[in-house]
Amino acid sequence: MRPTVHDIAAQAGVSLATVDRVLNRRPGVKAATRLRVEAAIAAIGFVRDMAAANLAKSRVYPFTFILPGGDNSFMRGLERHVREAMVRPASDRVAISLVVVPPFDGAAVARALDAAIAQEPAGIAVAAVDAPDVMDAALRVQASGIPLVTLVSDLGPACRDHFAGIDNHAAGRTAGSLMRRFVGREASETAKVAVLAGSMLVRDHRDRLDGFRSALSETCTLLPVLEGQDDPAATERLIADLLAQHSDLAGIYSLGAGNRGLIAALRRHSGPRPRAIIAHELTPHTRAALEADLIDAVLNQDAGHEVRSAIRVLKAKADGIPAVDAQERIRIDIFLKDNLPFADEADGDALRPFGLASGEN
């Protein structure tokens, strides 16, 4: 049978109340007694069932999620998953507060982080903007002892406890490798390729661009990066001008959002279509564009998995236990017209057959 608190008390020669104080890190235990209890725990191999303990105490985890607003289909899907977690049964013991800030606004993200610190939640998850004031605020979160998880876009390990997102450099390399294959090796040396970003203020976009460049090496000519701020109307104008100016354009890599604008410009364009269009995130819009041969490939990350991962990691941090790394690894999916999964198009993130979550089963 598994060791119990009674076994710890007997091994250490103390009361159950003392064992409880040590396990829950409460004061009132002499240092020598605490050491004796901890030695007994190690000697008998006691492993605490935190889930059962928290259920017995009716513990609720207050978490704060900070997400950007705006017209970004992927972020709205991420927000939907957070809101679903907010109304889950009480047995999940999670109380989530959602704060929405303007997109790409580092000052607003920093203010939201400082406001969250004042509320003293058990953990914070944020879709970060890689700006000095955000990094400073993230360091203040860590100094306060509150676990911090970055979502989708990272700040780096010095500023947070965990990153719930894909390896964006690897995603960019993957897009570059696909671009070489779609464009054709014999034509790639003279091929002109355009990159459409949301903003270079977020690390995930910069990491994808770096990976894309490294995979292409010197085999293609990269045009100056276009920044559409993830705004469909602004993006449509940028892509329409691009196609008008470069009739020999070989490919477009859309490494952010704003794909509705990209798709609208491609639909309106009457001239030759670039040989390769690669985008990120499988939404109803990019799915329809794949089916219509307007987009050739989509790299996807599972927004639901990222939200669930952030909650699991924050719970583990609050309990002082390690997360399961394999469960929290977010996979990069590549979708072509030929391998699109079953989907309910009313729910843009329900993209997997039988509701399976990527990397979780």
Side-chain angles (χ1 to χ4, degrees):
M1 294 179 63
R2 293 177 59 183
T4 68
V5 290
H6 295 274
D7 299 316
I8 299 172
Q11 178 81 9
V14 298
S15 67
L16 287 173
T18 299
V19 173
D20 181 73
R21 281 194 290 271
V22 172
L23 288 174
N24 290 290
R25 301 190 180 106
R26 289 200 294 268
V29 181
K30 294 179 181 179
T33 304
R34 186 178 297 276
L35 288 173
R36 197 161 74 245
V37 172
E38 290 172 349
I41 291 171
I44 67 175
F46 175 82
V47 178
R48 193 177 190 196
D49 187 342
M50 291 302 303
N54 287 331
L55 185 61
K57 292 184 292 184
S58 298
R59 180 179 183 182
V60 174
Y61 299 84
F63 296 142
T64 299
F65 276 69
I66 302 170
L67 301 180
D71 199 3
N72 180 323
S73 297
F74 176 77
M75 285 298 176
R76 300 288 64 77
L78 196 75
E79 179 182 341
R80 186 178 66 253
H81 286 291
V82 173
R83 292 191 181 279
E84 288 172 357
M86 292 169 71
V87 296
R88 282 178 190 158
S91 59
D92 281 5
R93 307 186 314 285
V94 171
I96 294 176
S97 299
L98 175 61
V99 179
V100 178
V101 298
F104 307 122
D105 190 334
V109 175
R111 288 193 298 271
L113 286 169
D114 285 330
I117 293 171
Q119 297 297 318
E120 299 183 343
I124 300 172
V126 59
V129 176
D130 191 7
D133 48 355
V134 176
M135 290 185 177
D136 290 343
L139 291 174
R140 289 192 291 274
V141 173
Q142 291 207 309
S144 72
I146 299 172
L148 179 65
V149 169
T150 49
L151 280 165
V152 183
S153 188
D154 199 10
L155 290 173
C159 298
R160 46 74 175 165
D161 294 280
H162 180 78
F163 171 53
I166 59 173
D167 180 335
N168 285 293
H169 196 274
R173 289 198 309 272
T174 303
S177 180
L178 289 171
M179 185 65 73
R180 286 203 320 269
R181 287 162 170 77
F182 284 137
V183 167
R185 295 182 187 277
E186 68 283 352
S188 61
E189 291 183 7
T190 58
K192 290 193 293 186
V193 173
V195 174
L196 171 67
S199 170
M200 290 293 100
L201 289 175
V202 288
R203 181 172 293 200
D204 60 327
H205 289 197
R206 294 203 307 273
D207 286 349
R208 291 174 189 177
L209 177 59
D210 288 345
F212 187 68
R213 281 177 171 153
S214 69
L216 287 182
S217 186
E218 298 178 356
T219 59
C220 291
T221 299
L222 278 184
L223 300 178
V225 176
L226 304 173
E227 294 185 59
Q229 303 299 313
D230 288 351
D231 178 80
T235 298
E236 182 176 357
R237 290 192 295 271
L238 286 172
I239 297 300
D241 290 344
L242 172 75
L243 294 171
Q245 293 169 18
H246 299 280
S247 59
D248 58 343
L249 189 66
I252 299 174
Y253 173 39
S254 175
L255 55 76
N259 286 321
R260 277 177 286 169
L262 167 66
I263 295 164
L266 291 170
R267 287 188 187 280
R268 288 175 175 269
H269 183 59
S270 58
R273 176 189 178 280
R275 275 174 292 201
I277 310 290
I278 300 171
H280 276 261
E281 317 314 345
L282 189 59
T283 67
H285 307 286
T286 55
R287 182 188 183 95
L290 277 171
E291 292 171 336
D293 293 320
L294 290 171
I295 289 178
D296 297 287
V298 169
L299 281 67
N300 187 66
Q301 57 188 318
D302 189 328
H305 187 184
E306 288 169 343
V307 170
R308 292 187 294 273
S309 177
I311 292 171
R312 283 193 298 265
V313 170
L314 289 175
K315 276 186 175 182
K317 293 291 181 183
D319 289 335
I321 60 176
V324 181
D325 289 342
Q327 189 178 26
E328 311 313 337
R329 189 174 298 114
I330 310 298
R331 190 173 66 187
I332 302 169
D333 291 318
I334 303 172
F335 291 116
L336 309 177
K337 178 181 181 179
D338 311 282
N339 72 331
L340 282 171
F342 301 116
D344 174 2
E345 294 201 357
D347 182 359
D349 283 316
L351 299 170
R352 297 185 178 279
F354 316 116
L356 296 182
S358 172
E360 294 181 274
N361 293 295

